[in-house]
Amino acid sequence: MATLVPLSAIDPVLVEELLDAAFGEGRHARTAYRIREGMGWLEALSFAALDDDDYLVGTIQCWPVALTDPQGRPHPMIMVGPVAVMPGRQGEGYGKALMAASLAAIDSGFDDGAAPLPQVMIGDPDYYDRWDFTAEHTGGWHCPGPYEKHRLLARTGNPAILPPEGMLGPWTPVLAN
């Protein structure tokens, strides 16, 4: 049985080792890293999975990103991923448990009753459609690097708020003086 804990409770060196094992040492060149460049992961939405012996077997991180429309307006979103499970432990339900925990935190995260921000990820549409991620609304979106269009997925309770076009990148909110 997996134990889920906040990712912040895990030694960052162990997290990096798991990500290297799951995605390879060249993972930093991936487009997803360019999208969230310079951002820190969102602690309240990011988790780790420990096995029965308290070994780290999986992680999920969420990031503040934005889709900047052609008029230059940023539309804030949450980038889900990477979802990483240690090779040899994949298929045991850790990834599903991590996704469920993270999306539950996203869906319930607003005390004022506001709808959660749309979520975006680059992933396998056949796997992530069980959580309502789809490429249906992302056809006019772009990323700062190579990606397969059918793997750029979004999830939102109200697709009408998603801009039809834009470039994904880090979200740096403009603060009023």
Side-chain angles (χ1 to χ4, degrees), residues 67-75 140-142 163-167:
L67 182 73
T68 301
D69 67 24
Q71 291 74 40
R73 292 183 303 248
H75 299 263
W141 297 8
H142 302 282
E165 297 178 30
M167 173 65 84

Side-chain angles (χ1 to χ4, degrees), residues 70-89:
Q71 291 74 40
R73 292 183 303 248
H75 299 263
M77 298 182 171
I78 297 169
M79 186 166 200
V80 178
V83 181
V85 177
M86 189 63 77
R89 302 303 302 266

Side-chain angles (χ1 to χ4, degrees), residues 13-171:
V13 171
L14 294 176
V15 173
E16 290 299 309
E17 288 174 357
L18 181 136
L19 291 170
D20 282 344
F23 298 111
E25 293 182 15
R27 65 185 165 86
H28 293 282
R30 291 179 174 216
T31 298
Y33 280 82
R34 295 180 192 175
I35 293 170
R36 60 184 190 250
E37 188 173 15
M39 300 283 91
W41 45 271
L42 299 166
E43 288 190 28
L45 307 177
S46 301
F47 297 92
L50 308 176
D51 69 8
D52 290 337
D53 296 319
D54 287 335
Y55 287 108
L56 178 65
V57 291
T59 62
I60 187 169
Q61 296 171 309
C62 292
W63 307 81
V65 299
L67 182 73
T68 301
D69 67 24
Q71 291 74 40
R73 292 183 303 248
H75 299 263
M77 298 182 171
I78 297 169
M79 186 166 200
V80 178
V83 181
V85 177
M86 189 63 77
R89 302 303 302 266
Q90 296 171 358
E92 296 181 29
Y94 293 110
K96 291 176 187 171
L98 289 163
M99 282 293 295
S102 189
L103 295 179
I106 290 169
D107 291 345
S108 66
F110 292 92
D111 293 334
D112 61 2
L117 293 173
Q119 299 102 62
V120 63
M121 70 177 345
I122 298 174
D124 178 3
D126 292 332
Y127 182 79
Y128 291 105
D129 70 349
R130 71 186 78 198
W131 293 286
D132 299 322
F133 280 92
T134 177
E136 182 178 350
H137 306 287
T138 63
W141 297 8
H142 302 282
C143 296
Y147 68 101
E148 298 172 62
K149 282 200 174 275
H150 75 281
R151 294 176 55 86
L152 182 59
L153 310 173
R155 175 183 180 261
T156 183
N158 182 6
I161 67 168
L162 297 174
E165 297 178 30
M167 173 65 84
L168 280 168
W171 179 36

